[in-house]
Amino acid sequence: MHVGLSRLSSTSLQTVLLGLLLLALSSCATYERITFANKYGKAEASERVVTHLPANTVDYWSEVKPIIENRCVVCHACYDAPCQLKMTSIEGIERGANTSLVYNPYRITADEPSRLHEDANTVAQWREKGFFPVLNEHGDSLEAQQQASLIYRMLNLKKQHPLPSSKYLSEDFTLALARKQQCPKPEAFDDFANKNPLWGMPYALPALNADEHEILSRWIEQGAPYTARPALDIQYQQAIAEWENLLNNDGLKQQLASRYIYEHLFLGHIFFDELPDNSRTTPKFFKLQRSATPPGQPVQLISTRRPYDAPIVERVYYRLVEEKEAIVAKTHTPYAFNKQRMSFWQEIFIDADFEVSQLPDYTIKNAANPFLTFADLPVKSRHQFLLDEAKFTISGFIKGPVCRGPQALNVINDNFWVFFVAPDVDKYNFDKTFFEEQAENLELPAELGNVYLPLSNWRKFAKKERNFLQAKLDFMEKQAQNGLVIDLDLIWDGDGNNPNAALTIFRHFDSASVEQGLLGPAPKTAWVLNYHLLERIHYLLVAGYDIYGNLGHQFVTRTYMDFLRMEGETAFLFLLPEQVRKKERDYWYRGADDSVMEYMDLEREHSTIKNSIQYKSHAEKLELFKLLEQKLAPVLNTEFQLAAIEDEKVKAELMLLADIRGLAANQMPETSIVRITGTQGHEYFTLLRHKAHLNMTSMFKEQTNREPENDTLSAHPGILTTYPNVFFEVKKAHLPDFIDAISKASTPQNYATLVDRFGIRRSHAQFWLHSDKLHQSYKKENPIAYGLLDFNRLQNR
């Protein structure tokens, strides 16, 4: 052997050694599995549902579920659940964990989807997809229930090795968003525990209290059984039947409209807000899904990668299915079904004057392009549908799968306002003929599937976008000849009663939020969105975005969004005087490439489209914001404005935060939730940091475009974030000291002093008590919008 090895090249030797190492590791893993099976019996995947619970058995629904939701789901939810261990439902716990990353920016080819409640129906099917158990699947001895349960052992590891008493967690804990995952299987747990004794669950947070630990331990020791979900109350069954009968009417108009509705609501949490027993303190939510079976029969889910992919059945039926998972704020998008909405849809989709002679097919070229698929639906009707719940429409890309991580979010500014073109302004809204002519230029990246040449495909889409912009300019010049002028009548006023007429979007580096109203300081930029922009944003970032797609798909999707952002910003610039537009545009895009400025070029509009808005100052943008605020005043939602704070002293102190900027603001986290005790009215407030940028045009060089000296802060009553970075607790009497400490927090040391006095760090002994009070208050104050917060972005400083 020695002579043979000596003749090998260095590269060959490395290959042999690597092979031997992999063989050894594989042999160890195999030995561990065999040993585990010998100890506890052969593993067999099976469901744990039982018809009834024996006496003295822990009940999952009333005893276990509340603990798991408030202690585990706050970190284990959605696609970014560590190790794909999604604990939002008992089925997710049974499914188990998987070492593959859903959010993987480097994959060359698309992965197979692994969506809970969608891509597999049984535990055995999940095992075939590579998920491994976190509960015992061996024999039913007490030792097997304990030692073969990853959850049990993780909880015991935390009990045996609680967090150190120090205020900062050691560097042994990895808390970065893109941290390397540790996903030990039960048979390899001893090795994991020896290497990482402090990594028990809840990870990097305090342990469960004795009662919580005892309940979960007993449930696992008893085999983790659970009973089936109870049947829906008759009131829900009747409401579902009424809506399903409407959505599945045989008429071609209704079939086309229902397809449109489904492709826009498939991520929504639907609730019936008129049912007497659907208490606003405990709302029940439903999902709109495609089924191969009609109403009255069990739902046979049609599972496809995207909502518009071919269903492989002759007729699709749209069904309402009870939401099985815990509601988490980061994905929660509520949508009300009621008689008023039913009448509205009847008016815009069925009673409207149009005909459907043939339903569109599901070929990808057509299905991925809503301007082709829904060409027969009146443009105005589609526009009205999207505006009716504009916050929901925008929330799709704020809370949908695309919105995760800084590279996904750095396409937008830190805070900006959104306005909408009124759907009845015919001279500004494009008609059916225009969209038919531009269908090819409106092609979206989702049509491609995997993208292996992202740069060449980006250039192709850039060319189509330039063609579309040219067509828009030509259309508007013709309209100008017919009397089109730019004035405030172009802006949708919410029909006098809809608070969706104005929205605020806040970016929090690697997450974002959207709320009704004009919140925060006057922003650097704003968007004005018409129908085609709303529709393209939805089909780019929601309906057409594949979370399991490859690197090229994700890159082209992100860069295409630059076009849409610039279109929305350009529409806002239309509202400013001609001589101000270029100056404002240049300020927004300081340091940007010439190619970017080309898309923002307004020279063509200057000569033909007149702006009739009368300005009285030289601060035209601020004056425009004031004019828009006055126009929309009857419908503006003021719930999260400082003006809504009842306690005048608290209001006055929080207003001082607007004066803090630069280094002190720069030290503050993206989002902070503050509990102020002893107040009149509101008790919880959200502090937001707004980062300044020269421009937002680079996917990878955001830091080079930063202006930290211009960072600012704003405060808002209520909860405006789904990913808090830090918790503060302040007595009303000490609020001036708290504000003063923030103003002086211009160094890491001063910020640490602020948190030492007022913070509830993730290592705090009372962390879970504070968390429970926060969630209880949030649910009481806003039960429809309420969802469990996500603690994965809590800081350690």
Side-chain angles (χ1 to χ4, degrees):
M1 172 66 82
H2 177 73
V3 174
L5 285 177
S6 66
R7 293 176 180 175
L8 291 174
S9 68
S10 175
T11 301
S12 299
L13 179 60
Q14 291 176 1
T15 303
V16 170
L17 292 175
L18 178 60
L20 291 173
L21 176 61
L22 292 175
L23 179 62
L25 292 174
S26 175
S27 299
C28 290
T30 302
Y31 175 75
E32 288 172 341
R33 286 196 295 273
I34 293 173
T35 303
F36 225 66
N38 289 338
K39 278 186 178 182
Y40 306 120
K42 182 181 178 181
E44 294 183 4
S46 61
E47 278 74 18
R48 300 167 189 275
V49 62
V50 296
T51 54
H52 68 277
L53 294 175
N56 300 318
T57 302
V58 176
D59 178 59
Y60 170 81
W61 301 106
S62 62
E63 298 179 85
V64 175
K65 182 173 177 282
I67 299 172
I68 287 179
E69 288 187 353
N70 288 289
R71 300 293 181 265
C72 307
V73 172
V74 288
C75 290
H76 283 272
C78 197
Y79 295 105
D80 55 358
C83 303
Q84 291 197 59
L85 177 53
K86 194 175 182 185
M87 303 182 73
T88 46
S89 70
I90 183 61
E91 292 85 359
I93 299 172
E94 284 190 303
R95 178 180 77 160
N98 191 308
T99 58
S100 298
L101 291 172
V102 175
Y103 284 101
N104 181 358
Y106 307 111
R107 65 168 67 99
I108 304 302
T109 59
D111 275 355
E112 284 300 311
S114 56
R115 295 162 295 187
L116 184 61
H117 300 294
E118 193 163 344
D119 294 313
N121 297 315
T122 67
V123 175
Q125 289 173 349
W126 286 120
R127 296 293 169 266
E128 293 173 1
K129 287 180 174 289
F131 283 78
F132 61 86
V134 295
L135 295 172
N136 172 44
E137 292 185 349
H138 294 268
D140 60 0
S141 68
L142 177 61
E143 185 179 2
Q145 302 291 11
Q146 295 172 337
Q147 298 304 306
S149 167
L150 186 62
I151 295 178
Y152 186 94
R153 301 192 72 181
M154 281 289 192
L155 291 173
N156 260 2
L157 184 63
K158 174 55 69 78
K159 184 178 181 180
Q160 295 163 5
H161 300 278
L163 287 184
S165 57
S166 59
K167 62 186 179 183
Y168 299 118
L169 301 182
S170 72
E171 293 183 359
D172 293 338
F173 291 97
T174 55
L175 298 171
L177 182 64
R179 64 183 180 270
K180 184 178 180 180
Q181 294 192 122
Q182 298 288 332
C183 308
K185 296 182 179 180
E187 57 264 31
F189 186 79
D190 286 339
D191 184 55
F192 168 84
N194 289 332
K195 292 179 180 178
N196 308 289
L198 295 176
W199 285 18
M201 295 296 160
Y203 176 76
L205 290 167
L208 308 186
N209 65 38
D211 289 342
E212 294 166 342
H213 189 277
E214 195 267 341
I215 289 172
L216 292 189
S217 297
R218 279 201 300 123
W219 177 64
I220 293 171
E221 291 168 348
Q222 292 167 353
Y226 66 96
T227 55
R229 289 179 177 80
L232 287 171
D233 291 344
I234 188 64
Q235 61 171 346
Y236 292 111
Q237 295 180 39
Q238 292 173 344
I240 288 171
E242 183 178 11
W243 278 93
E244 287 186 349
N245 286 335
L246 168 70
L247 292 169
N248 295 291
N249 186 285
D250 290 335
L252 295 186
K253 270 188 173 185
Q254 184 63 65
Q255 288 190 59
L256 183 60
S258 294
R259 177 173 171 179
Y260 184 81
I261 290 166
Y262 165 73
E263 291 185 13
H264 289 80
L265 301 190
F266 71 99
L267 287 182
H269 285 141
I270 292 162
F271 66 102
F272 303 108
D273 63 346
E274 294 176 334
L275 295 185
D277 292 338
N278 188 30
S279 169
R280 284 190 166 268
T281 61
T282 54
K284 189 180 289 293
F285 294 98
F286 299 83
K287 302 283 286 186
L288 185 60
Q289 297 182 337
R290 294 196 298 182
S291 173
T293 51
Q297 297 183 21
V299 172
Q300 185 178 326
L301 180 66
I302 298 171
S303 179
T304 57
R305 188 175 284 269
R306 297 183 179 93
Y308 51 69
D309 286 341
I312 321 297
V313 294
E314 184 176 348
R315 169 77 186 270
V316 169
Y317 297 95
Y318 301 97
R319 308 290 301 278
L320 286 164
V321 178
E322 182 182 0
E323 174 58 83
K324 296 178 181 178
E325 299 187 45
I327 300 299
V328 293
K330 61 182 176 179
T331 59
H332 184 40
T333 51
Y335 196 100
F337 272 19
N338 49 46
K339 287 183 172 56
Q340 181 180 354
R341 175 143 290 138
M342 189 178 285
S343 297
F344 178 64
W345 287 358
Q346 176 75 26
E347 174 190 342
I348 63 174
F349 288 134
I350 307 304
D351 296 341
D353 184 17
F354 71 101
E355 297 296 331
V356 178
S357 59
Q358 182 179 351
L359 293 175
D361 60 30
Y362 284 92
T363 57
I364 190 62
K365 183 173 181 61
N366 292 332
N369 189 332
F371 305 103
L372 290 173
T373 301
F374 302 107
D376 285 340
L377 284 181
V379 174
K380 182 177 178 180
S381 296
R382 288 179 263 164
H383 196 177
Q384 289 174 302
F385 174 86
L386 296 177
L387 288 181
D388 188 45
E389 289 288 353
K391 179 188 171 185
F392 176 90
T393 303
I394 297 297
S395 291
F397 89 87
I398 295 298
K399 292 191 172 187
V402 68
C403 194
R404 196 263 194 183
Q407 279 71 43
L409 273 297
N410 64 14
V411 72
I412 59 175
N413 280 280
D414 255 45
N415 66 301
F416 59 97
W417 293 342
V418 180
F419 307 95
F420 303 94
V421 175
D424 53 355
V425 183
D426 295 332
K427 290 181 179 178
Y428 193 81
N429 287 301
F430 308 111
D431 56 18
K432 178 180 179 180
T433 301
F434 176 84
F435 286 119
E436 288 176 345
E437 294 173 348
Q438 292 301 311
E440 187 69 25
N441 288 327
L442 291 169
E443 173 188 322
L444 293 166
E447 180 182 323
L448 303 176
N450 279 331
V451 177
Y452 296 109
L453 299 171
L455 292 178
S456 64
N457 276 285
W458 181 88
R459 286 191 288 268
K460 180 185 77 171
F461 285 114
K463 181 178 179 181
K464 289 177 179 289
E465 176 69 5
R466 280 192 291 269
N467 292 339
F468 177 68
L469 290 178
Q470 185 62 55
K472 281 179 61 177
L473 294 175
D474 293 342
F475 176 91
M476 294 178 65
E477 286 182 348
K478 291 179 181 177
Q479 295 296 75
Q481 296 171 11
N482 295 326
L484 171 66
V485 294
I486 302 299
D487 58 26
L488 294 181
D489 289 340
L490 294 175
I491 302 300
W492 182 52
D493 65 358
D495 301 322
N497 55 34
N498 193 326
N500 286 286
L503 304 177
T504 297
I505 295 179
F506 293 117
R507 179 198 170 196
H508 319 300
F509 183 58
D510 51 22
S511 68
S513 56
V514 56
E515 295 294 345
Q516 295 171 340
L518 302 177
L519 307 178
K524 173 183 173 183
T525 65
W527 296 1
V528 173
L529 302 181
N530 57 10
Y531 163 69
H532 76 77
L533 276 172
L534 279 169
E535 199 74 279
R536 291 161 82 196
I537 288 173
H538 177 79
Y539 276 86
L540 176 73
L541 300 178
V542 186
Y545 184 74
D546 183 7
I547 188 63
Y548 299 93
N550 76 334
L551 167 64
H553 165 74
Q554 297 179 39
F555 173 81
V556 174
T557 298
R558 157 61 179 81
T559 52
Y560 190 96
M561 182 57 200
D562 278 321
F563 299 147
L564 304 188
R565 184 199 68 244
M566 288 188 282
E567 280 193 65
E569 290 173 338
T570 299
F572 175 77
L573 290 176
F574 267 120
L575 300 175
L576 292 171
E578 293 181 13
Q579 68 275 14
V580 175
R581 295 174 192 171
K582 185 178 185 304
K583 177 183 176 182
E584 190 67 32
R585 178 205 66 178
D586 291 345
Y587 175 68
W588 292 356
Y589 286 90
R590 287 166 291 162
D593 293 337
D594 291 342
S595 60
V596 172
M597 305 308 288
E598 177 186 346
Y599 286 103
M600 298 295 291
D601 190 359
L602 299 172
E603 291 301 319
R604 286 290 302 279
E605 294 94 322
H606 294 177
S607 60
T608 58
I609 304 175
K610 303 302 181 185
N611 187 319
S612 66
I613 301 175
Q614 299 298 312
Y615 287 91
K616 301 177 181 178
S617 73
H618 294 297
E620 291 89 353
K621 184 174 69 173
L622 292 178
E623 187 177 349
L624 175 57
F625 282 145
K626 181 60 67 175
L627 291 171
L628 289 166
E629 185 178 8
Q630 292 171 355
K631 175 184 174 68
L632 304 179
V635 299
L636 284 181
N637 188 338
T638 60
E639 176 184 1
F640 298 111
Q641 290 184 348
L642 283 176
I645 300 175
E646 298 97 327
D647 192 310
E648 292 298 328
K649 183 176 180 181
V650 170
K651 183 192 302 184
E653 290 294 337
L654 292 179
M655 288 178 67
L656 297 176
L657 288 170
D659 297 327
I660 300 174
R661 58 193 309 119
L663 293 179
N666 186 255
Q667 281 296 321
M668 292 296 290
E670 302 286 336
T671 67
S672 311
I673 296 180
V674 184
R675 182 184 180 210
I676 303 177
T677 59
T679 67
Q680 301 173 14
H682 293 92
E683 191 171 56
Y684 286 92
F685 301 81
T686 304
L687 267 57
L688 301 178
R689 168 190 171 194
H690 310 297
K691 294 188 295 186
H693 297 81
L694 294 172
N695 67 74
M696 294 301 294
T697 61
S698 175
M699 186 174 178
F700 304 108
K701 299 179 180 179
E702 179 178 352
Q703 285 304 114
T704 63
N705 291 325
R706 283 279 285 115
E707 288 187 292
E709 67 276 12
N710 287 323
D711 287 359
T712 58
L713 302 173
S714 67
H716 309 270
I719 309 300
L720 267 73
T721 179
T722 61
Y723 293 96
N725 298 135
V726 69
F727 297 135
F728 293 108
E729 187 159 329
V730 185
K731 293 180 180 179
K732 178 182 174 181
H734 297 157
L735 188 55
D737 297 336
F738 177 65
I739 303 299
D740 183 62
I742 292 176
S743 71
K744 295 176 180 177
S746 56
T747 66
Q749 295 76 17
N750 288 354
Y751 174 78
T753 301
L754 166 71
V755 184
D756 286 345
R757 181 174 178 186
F758 299 105
I760 306 291
R761 288 187 173 91
R762 59 188 309 147
S763 57
H764 198 287
Q766 300 300 313
F767 177 88
W768 289 120
L769 177 62
H770 184 89
S771 170
D772 288 343
K773 288 180 179 179
L774 167 60
H775 280 110
Q776 289 163 8
S777 175
Y778 185 14
K779 187 172 185 179
K780 180 182 178 181
E781 292 296 322
N782 208 337
I784 299 299
Y786 166 79
L788 292 161
L789 301 175
D790 190 287
F791 292 165
N792 278 296
R793 288 168 172 79
L794 286 173
Q795 295 182 343
N796 178 35
R797 65 186 182 110

